[in-house]
Amino acid sequence: MVQQQVYDYLEQNKLLSQSQFGFRKGSSTQHAVTLFSDASRQAMDTGMLTGAVFVDLSKAFDTVDHARLLSKLPIYGILNRERKWFESYIFNRNHFVSFHGVPSEVSTISCGVPQRSILGPLLFVLLINDLEFQLKYSQIILYADDAVIYFADKDVGSIQERLNADLKCISNWFSDNNLIVNLKKSKTECVLFGTHKKTARSENFMIKMNGTQITESHAYEYLGVIMDKNLNYLEHLNKIQKKAASRVRLLFWMRHNIRPYTVEAIYKMILPVMLYCSNIFIDLPNCHKLKFEDIQNRAMQIVYGSKYKRNQK
């Protein structure tokens, strides 16, 4: 009830960042991926490059500073009794572990939102809601704690300068809010998006955060989609085709041991693998179209048998 009331209040008063797509009605990972893909493609169409930094936070939900979170609630109009309610909800929680029946001492939880609670994600969204205001030049897209910060320009030097300036600002914000950026390879990385001709000429793309150089990659898996620097998505398409084909093979071996409606239900679980973010795959090469058609035909034959064949004729 509290989550619904607070969420409705925040949405009705337009208090949540429009850059945040996580834990919001009508928003999803597909919306976030599509927005970033469209922005990068539009820049590419006008001869620009897009420098993007994909930021990964270490155990973000577990490191939320209670005092910092409570200090932000009045900014959104959560005052007096309501604020005290949240203070009671967050503070004075204890935990312990037990090993072979022997419990540890009880200790107080000093940070983190309550796990597996409906309020936890909303509280984290409120904590990170003002992150976008730290940026002077770049744009940001958030899905809960997944963030991509990007800037487009024709000059690589300008992109590098603007991104480094903004990353310095958000590094300070992360420090003030006790959130830790995971700078390991494959976690926080940067990619320079553009046409093959443009990216081939670009060198010395150096982005730093907290004094550490961020690994530059030719592709990054953002919210389940592998985004290569030329945005042709071939690596991603190969991955999902293999994933879907392997599940169809498994369905083939299972089909005689399960009921027909169960076979159909499992197929409906395979289909989203191929359809996820399909709207961004513009001008799909014929070879990939044929592969998808072949996988789908095999699956339909497994589900509907000879009936499907007759219908095809």
Side-chain angles (χ1 to χ4, degrees):
M1 290 173 65
V2 172
Q3 191 273 348
Q4 190 63 57
Q5 287 181 19
V6 174
Y7 177 79
D8 289 345
Y9 162 76
L10 293 170
E11 287 286 8
Q12 289 167 8
N13 290 279
K14 297 181 167 58
L15 295 173
L16 293 178
S17 167
Q18 294 305 302
S19 300
Q20 177 63 260
F21 290 82
F23 309 111
R24 300 181 70 179
K25 294 176 183 177
S27 296
S28 67
T29 54
Q30 295 192 65
H31 288 104
V33 172
T34 301
L35 178 60
F36 177 71
S37 176
D38 286 351
S40 300
R41 282 187 180 278
Q42 287 173 12
M44 196 182 297
D45 290 342
T46 57
M48 292 195 290
L49 294 159
T50 300
V53 181
F54 299 90
V55 179
D56 181 78
L57 295 174
S58 297
K59 299 182 179 179
F61 282 64
D62 295 331
T63 56
V64 171
D65 185 278
H66 292 167
R68 189 71 173 175
L69 173 60
L70 285 172
S71 72
K72 292 187 178 187
L73 296 183
I75 298 172
Y76 304 105
I78 301 173
L79 303 160
N80 305 322
R81 288 186 303 171
E82 288 76 15
R83 184 182 180 279
K84 287 184 178 179
W85 187 93
F86 277 100
E87 183 177 348
S88 174
Y89 176 76
I90 294 171
F91 279 97
N92 299 319
R93 288 179 176 268
N94 300 318
H95 64 172
F96 72 95
V97 295
S98 178
F99 185 70
H100 289 312
V102 181
S104 69
E105 293 183 2
V106 175
S107 62
T108 302
I109 300 173
S110 59
C111 60
V113 293
Q115 297 296 301
R116 295 181 298 278
S117 68
I118 194 171
L119 264 175
L122 182 59
L123 291 174
F124 179 81
V125 166
L126 278 175
L127 175 74
I128 205 170
N129 197 52
D130 60 320
L131 176 59
E132 67 173 340
F133 300 118
Q134 314 308 310
L135 302 174
K136 295 180 181 178
Y137 311 104
S138 311
Q139 302 295 317
I140 187 170
I141 297 174
L142 293 161
Y143 190 87
D145 58 332
D146 284 299
V148 55
I149 298 154
Y150 60 98
F151 180 81
D153 198 280
K154 291 185 177 181
D155 179 54
V156 178
S158 179
I159 294 172
Q160 185 174 290
E161 181 182 346
R162 299 294 193 276
L163 282 176
N164 280 323
D166 279 339
L167 286 175
K168 185 175 181 180
C169 292
I170 68 166
S171 292
N172 293 332
W173 185 93
F174 283 134
S175 178
D176 292 340
N177 288 272
N178 292 330
L179 295 173
I180 302 168
V181 179
N182 188 345
L183 292 173
K184 292 181 179 178
K185 186 177 179 180
S186 80
K187 295 298 183 180
T188 295
E189 292 188 347
C190 62
V191 180
L192 188 63
F193 294 96
T195 62
H196 178 75
K197 185 177 180 180
K198 285 276 187 180
T199 54
R201 292 178 180 176
S202 303
E203 297 179 359
N204 302 321
F205 184 56
M206 187 178 294
I207 303 297
K208 290 187 176 182
M209 195 170 192
N210 296 333
T212 302
Q213 184 172 340
I214 296 174
T215 303
E216 182 184 2
S217 177
H218 76 281
Y220 187 88
E221 186 168 350
Y222 176 56
L223 299 176
V225 176
I226 301 173
M227 311 191 79
D228 59 278
K229 63 181 182 180
N230 302 133
L231 291 178
N232 56 32
Y233 298 105
L234 295 182
E235 189 175 343
H236 178 74
L237 292 170
N238 286 328
K239 177 185 175 181
I240 61 175
Q241 284 165 1
K242 288 179 181 178
K243 190 174 182 180
S246 66
R247 294 186 180 188
V248 169
R249 283 195 298 271
L250 181 60
L251 183 61
F252 173 78
W253 293 110
M254 293 169 57
R255 76 192 191 285
H256 295 304
N257 299 313
I258 54 180
R259 296 176 180 178
Y261 71 86
T262 305
V263 175
E264 187 174 4
I266 293 173
Y267 168 66
K268 289 179 180 178
M269 295 169 64
I270 297 173
L271 198 57
V273 174
M274 296 187 286
L275 296 180
Y276 179 66
C277 286
S278 57
N279 57 305
I280 66 173
F281 306 134
I282 302 171
D283 298 325
L284 193 66
N286 284 330
C287 61
H288 286 282
K289 287 180 182 178
L290 292 172
K291 285 180 181 178
F292 277 119
E293 288 175 5
D294 180 57
I295 293 170
Q296 188 162 356
N297 284 333
R298 278 185 285 151
M300 295 294 280
Q301 287 170 3
I302 292 168
V303 175
Y304 299 108
S306 58
K307 182 180 178 182
Y308 174 72
K309 292 180 182 179
R310 286 196 299 271
N311 288 339
Q312 289 299 93
K313 292 177 182 178

